[in-house]
Amino acid sequence: METTTTKANPLSDRINNLSTSQTLAMAAKARELKAQGIDIISLSLGEPDFNTPEFIKEAAIQAIKDNYSTYPPVDGYADLKDAIVHKFKRDNGLEYKPANIVVSTGAKQSLYNVCQVMLNPGDEAILPAPYWVSYAEMVKMAEATPVEVPTSVESDFKITPEQLEAAITPKTKLIMFSSPCNPSGSVYNREELTAIAKVLEKYPNIYVVSDEIYEHINFSGNFCSIGTIPGMFDRTITVNGVAKAFAMTGWRIGYIGAPEFIAKACTKMQGQVTSGANSIAQRATITALQADPSVLKDMVDAFHRRRDLVVGLVKEIPGFKINVPEGAFYVFPDVSSYFGKTLKGMEIKNADDFSMFLLEHANVATVTGDAFGNPNCIRFSYAAADDQLAEALRRIKAAVTE
């Protein structure tokens, strides 16, 4: 007598329960449709549409010629760590030492390392929403619990001290946020960060992960590192990298400045996972960080101009509510006025549906706000040419008003 058995899934619960990055998934879908000959405008990926500056490329070429081809130190070359220390002091007023610095394969690995070394099963990490897509999954991979604190377009997508205090429990270990924020573009000023620090004074066992990868793409002049607020330096992990400001997304260099015991723990973790970051990219990063930030002016000015263009065009689309982002290169309009409606025969139940509607009927790729912990919004990246941005928003307006 034959019997049939169902083959058990050999994959771990960890990977089966892990969400796919929706920004990468939408970018892949857009590429697939483009390959079919469909004219898709992709505003889904957070990647500058500029080339890496020539002086940085030349430094990489020189590093190849100088035979930087052996394993680098796990936590980064000593002279790169010195350059990062100088950068933190020059740009942020943070007095780190080389022992506080760990260089990783992108800021994403830096964030993952921190979650792995700081969180235990049952711990909680507060995530002001919207937050960058990978924060919640990184917390879950550390077997901890992400605690989302919702914000809205009316509050400029910023958490209030009262909201923070209400979210804190005896299990709270971390608060993670980005400023300038991906996806909202919001920037916390010194006064706002001081109010947050005032709350955290009462809870000395809570650490702050401050993701500052977009610091130089900042139109307000209000950028502040929370580690400079009195009482916060010794409990802040400052995360940064060269991907966004220097258009080096593919070079994969990120870094942290952190209390020494956390830096040592991240080095220990990294030593068993990836070891040191790419040697040639590290050498090029020294040159990038030693440059005066004024070399970024043309790129930042271009993003500022595009911000104004996109915000103006989005405001002309019926039913869209939008704040004016002060940094990064995203807009995050609230599109909930369309929920429960039918557009071109397609019922729009949520932001996922609306984002898919725009892909299918406007040929524009965006990302659902659900990916960022805000179910009422969608994200556009304006890291694209002005004419592409204008055409994308013309298509969107036409699709929702016909």
Side-chain angles (χ1 to χ4, degrees):
M1 178 177 178
E2 292 184 5
T3 59
T4 58
T5 58
T6 302
K7 189 175 181 179
N9 186 338
L11 297 177
S12 69
D13 291 342
R14 183 181 302 106
I15 195 64
N16 286 327
N17 294 332
L18 185 69
S19 297
T20 301
S21 169
Q22 292 192 49
T23 52
L24 298 180
M26 182 58 87
K29 180 68 174 174
R31 284 194 295 268
E32 179 185 320
L33 293 174
K34 282 185 178 181
Q36 296 172 15
I38 300 173
D39 178 23
I40 300 293
I41 298 176
S42 182
L43 305 182
S44 59
L45 267 187
E47 182 166 41
D49 60 321
F50 294 87
N51 293 321
T52 303
E54 290 299 321
F55 73 96
I56 298 173
K57 295 182 195 175
E58 290 299 326
I61 292 167
Q62 188 60 49
I64 293 171
K65 292 179 178 177
D66 291 342
N67 294 310
Y68 279 95
S69 52
T70 58
Y71 289 127
V74 171
D75 55 349
Y77 286 118
D79 47 353
L80 173 54
K81 293 173 70 172
D82 287 340
I84 293 168
V85 167
H86 174 71
K87 173 261 175 296
F88 272 134
K89 184 174 183 179
R90 178 193 66 201
D91 299 345
N92 309 103
L94 293 167
E95 298 277 354
Y96 287 117
K97 298 176 181 177
N100 303 120
I101 308 300
V102 181
V103 179
S104 300
T105 304
K108 181 177 278 189
Q109 185 184 20
S110 298
L111 290 161
Y112 177 81
N113 285 346
V114 170
C115 288
Q116 287 294 313
V117 306
M118 294 296 291
L119 295 171
N120 284 313
D123 285 343
E124 294 177 350
I126 293 174
L127 309 181
Y131 49 79
W132 181 54
V133 290
S134 293
Y135 288 172
E137 298 306 313
M138 288 178 180
V139 170
K140 292 175 186 175
M141 280 191 281
E143 300 182 69
T145 302
V147 177
E148 298 181 4
V149 179
T151 66
S152 67
V153 66
E154 288 80 13
S155 66
D156 198 26
F157 297 112
K158 296 178 185 179
I159 191 175
T160 66
E162 294 76 18
Q163 285 181 299
L164 174 59
E165 182 125 41
I168 292 172
T169 76
K171 296 180 180 179
T172 306
K173 188 69 173 292
L174 295 179
I175 173 173
M176 300 177 66
F177 70 98
S178 60
S179 176
C181 177
N182 176 3
S184 70
S186 301
V187 179
Y188 286 90
N189 60 37
R190 177 168 289 275
E191 181 180 354
E192 291 161 339
L193 292 176
T194 299
I196 288 172
K198 193 73 176 173
V199 173
L200 294 175
E201 278 182 9
K202 310 171 197 174
Y203 306 95
N205 294 323
I206 298 175
Y207 286 78
V208 175
V209 181
S210 180
D211 182 350
E212 303 179 2
I213 192 76
Y214 292 95
E215 65 166 328
H216 289 303
I217 306 174
N218 167 24
F219 319 127
S220 66
N222 288 331
F223 179 77
C224 174
S225 293
I226 193 170
T228 63
I229 304 298
M232 293 306 299
F233 180 76
D234 290 331
R235 53 194 298 198
T236 297
I237 301 101
T238 307
V239 181
N240 212 318
V242 291
K244 311 301 183 179
F246 292 96
M248 294 173 69
T249 51
W251 297 67
R252 311 310 304 132
I253 296 292
Y255 53 85
I256 63 169
E260 188 172 346
F261 77 96
I262 296 175
K264 285 182 175 179
C266 288
T267 301
K268 182 179 179 181
M269 165 67 63
Q270 192 163 295
Q272 295 289 8
V273 181
T274 58
S275 298
N278 180 281
S279 58
I280 304 304
Q282 285 197 57
R283 305 311 300 174
T285 298
I286 295 171
T287 296
L289 295 182
Q290 288 175 339
D292 189 286
S294 63
V295 301
L296 306 172
K297 184 179 185 304
D298 288 347
M299 183 180 73
V300 175
D301 286 349
F303 280 132
H304 196 171
R305 184 188 70 250
R306 293 171 182 176
R307 190 277 308 263
D308 293 344
L309 169 69
V310 169
V311 168
L313 292 173
V314 169
K315 286 181 176 179
E316 296 176 4
I317 301 175
F320 279 45
K321 290 193 295 183
I322 188 172
N323 67 322
V324 179
E326 293 184 337
F329 38 75
Y330 309 105
V331 291
F332 199 59
D334 184 315
V335 295
S336 59
S337 67
Y338 287 95
F339 298 172
K341 296 183 178 181
T342 300
L343 299 173
K344 296 183 181 293
M346 181 175 176
E347 184 183 359
I348 308 297
K349 298 185 290 294
N350 49 42
D352 290 6
D353 289 345
F354 194 79
S355 189
M356 190 55 64
F357 167 80
L358 294 182
L359 183 62
E360 294 180 0
H361 294 280
N363 290 347
V364 176
T366 61
V367 187
T368 171
D370 265 336
F372 305 97
N374 188 312
N376 291 329
C377 299
I378 59 174
R379 189 191 78 173
F380 305 146
S381 166
Y382 53 85
D386 293 35
D387 59 342
Q388 287 274 287
L389 294 169
E391 173 61 14
L393 289 160
R394 184 199 65 76
R395 293 181 186 183
I396 291 169
K397 183 178 181 181
V400 300
T401 56
E402 282 179 2

